[in-house]
Amino acid sequence: MSLLVVGRFANQSKVVLEAFQSVTACFSRFVSARGSIRIAILCFCLAMSAIAVSLGGYSVLGIRHAGDLVARTFDESLMSINYARAAGADFAAMRVASSHVTRQPSARPRLDDEIDKLAKTLSEDVTIAAERSQSARAAKAAAKVKEAANAWVAIHRRRFQADGTGNNEASAREIDDVDQLSNVVNQQIELLVNYTAGDGFLFRQRALAAIKRDLQLNVVALTVALLLSGLFSWLLARRIIGPVAIASKAASLQSRRALELDLREAMDKDEFTLFYQPIYDLRMDRISGFEALLRWPHPKRGLVPPDQFIPIAEDIGLITPLGEWVLNRACEQAAGWPSELKIAVNVSATQIRDPRFAEVIANALDASTLAPHRLELEITESVLLGNSAETVATLHKLKAQGLSIALDDFGTGYSSLSYLRSFPFDKLKIDQSFVRDATATNGSKLIVRAITSLGRSLGITITAEGVETIEQLDQIRAEGCNEAQGFLFSRPVPATEIASTILNLRGGLARRHLSGAMTG
């Protein structure tokens, strides 16, 4: 039976290996053929899954086979020995009962029944021991045990007369036969035990050898799987990922190139427009001005976000004329607003470093007749990096003309205090990330408090950006911010809606929300 199990396992392993080879061959044929990228990726995934399933199935079969061998070693063999020992005990009990018949003739019927039962039990124990041992030699020894035991019982019965007196004893030859058969039974039982123990040792050795072989085969299979995985990855990179990356990069470059051409055409066709978001004075409880925000309503793309076209405009050298257009248009439209309202315009580092920038500002103010104190230039910390001496000199020149200078997104960059020492900014704008988390995290609240305290000490106006809820407004007001800006007051609106926005906020924010609650 052990040979049958080993042969069955070998056949199962062969089937698994043949299936693995078949999957690999199919995959190779597919790789050589041309197909869509999606199908190729699916094929790669299926191939790797097939390899994993094949290795897992083979490992399960190997472990199960080793487990069967170990079970036969420590279960079947040990049980066979126990039954063989039990058969020996049965025969010893039979001999004791036979000696009692000689000494106690009157108890012969009872003792004969006991001997018959013991003989039957011996036969069953020997049969089970032979089956559990799974050894041809042990089976032959078991057959000889039963044959000798049956002959012993027959001679025992012939030793006594039918009347059961026991006076007519068997001949000396029959007595010798009984002794000889007893020796045969004992010898064959010992052989049965020895054969079973020896076969158990052989099973154990086979189990250890099978486990060692399975481990070696699993290591080899794992190595092959890793090599195939590397091959598949290389093929994937060469046939799929590489072309996709190149195509994606080409598409990205093509899209960027198309956006560059559209951007230049937009400059020629004056497709840009300005939206304005109100800046609210918390102390006066009214609008103090607007921030000009550039928008590009593309005829086909729709509204293009500034973070997409502004970097491109800087790269291709359009940021300077585009910034000049924003300044001129913002000053022109702000000149028609109430005189107490300011206009804030964002300027880039490229504009500030342009030697003509101060002249551009002067021309925009002259053309629009806008008072210089109503124009506020917003810069970020990146403007002060690099050639900061010339930049600071330009800012001083602009400030001397009456303009206000604000440092935008304060707290997100380097936030170096040396900037505040090198130039007297009129305003610091706290980045919206701190304002948004001011009511949620204690850290942001402390940062807002520190910036407002710094501004109060230096006499600088503090504006909080990104205010969207009443809770955020109450928090920044409590921390001492001077101004606020965000969707709570108004979203950016076109120039045509400036008047309605001013009227909407003229009565104060609290009155506006009270009116909205009553109408709602």
Side-chain angles (χ1 to χ4, degrees), residues 91-110:
F91 186 70
M94 291 167 60
R95 295 182 65 182
V96 171
S98 177
S99 64
H100 286 172
V101 172
T102 304
R103 294 192 299 268
Q104 301 176 9
S106 60
R108 180 180 175 184
R110 179 179 59 79

Side-chain angles (χ1 to χ4, degrees), residues 456-470:
R456 186 165 50 251
S457 300
L458 296 176
I460 300 175
T461 301
I462 303 298
T463 301
E465 295 183 293
V467 179
E468 298 181 355
T469 64
I470 292 293

Side-chain angles (χ1 to χ4, degrees), residues 175-339:
I175 295 174
D176 292 339
D177 290 342
V178 168
D179 294 337
Q180 184 178 1
L181 289 173
S182 299
N183 293 332
V184 169
V185 170
N186 292 329
Q187 290 175 357
Q188 294 301 320
I189 289 177
E190 289 299 324
L191 288 177
L192 176 58
V193 172
N194 293 334
Y195 289 154
T196 303
D199 291 340
F201 176 77
L202 293 178
F203 281 133
R204 178 178 179 274
Q205 293 301 109
R206 291 176 185 175
L208 294 176
I211 293 174
K212 183 178 180 181
R213 183 186 66 246
D214 291 342
L215 289 176
Q216 293 174 347
L217 290 176
N218 284 336
V219 170
V220 172
L222 179 60
T223 303
V224 172
L226 291 175
L227 292 176
L228 289 175
S229 178
L231 175 62
F232 294 158
S233 300
W234 178 75
L235 291 174
L236 184 65
R238 183 176 179 181
R239 295 178 60 87
I240 300 176
I241 298 179
V244 169
I246 294 175
S248 177
K249 184 177 181 180
S252 177
L253 292 176
Q254 185 177 3
S255 176
R256 177 184 171 88
R257 179 58 181 168
L259 194 60
E260 290 179 5
L261 295 176
D262 291 348
L263 192 59
R264 295 182 185 276
E265 185 177 357
M267 285 292 297
D268 296 335
K269 294 183 178 180
D270 196 18
E271 292 181 354
F272 296 99
T273 185
L274 291 181
F275 275 52
Y276 298 92
Q277 187 172 35
I279 303 173
Y280 200 82
D281 190 325
L282 298 179
R283 292 175 298 181
M284 302 297 294
D285 197 21
R286 62 177 179 83
I287 293 179
S288 60
F290 288 87
E291 179 182 358
L293 302 173
L294 182 62
R295 295 291 184 264
W296 180 17
H298 193 279
K300 294 182 180 179
R301 302 174 186 266
L303 194 63
V304 182
D307 58 354
Q308 289 187 10
F309 69 86
I310 292 296
I312 296 178
E314 293 179 347
D315 292 341
I316 64 178
L318 285 181
I319 192 64
T320 298
L322 186 58
E324 185 175 348
W325 179 89
V326 171
L327 279 168
N328 290 327
R329 182 61 60 89
C331 291
E332 177 186 349
Q333 294 179 342
W337 302 345
S339 59

Side-chain angles (χ1 to χ4, degrees), residues 1 14 47 61 115 181 281 300 302 312 399 417 431 439 444-445 458 495-496 506:
M1 184 176 293
K14 184 177 180 181
L61 291 176
I115 290 174
L181 289 173
D281 190 325
K300 294 182 180 179
I312 296 178
K399 188 174 177 64
L417 298 181
D431 186 72
T439 57
S444 296
K445 183 190 303 183
L458 296 176
T496 55
R506 173 164 288 179

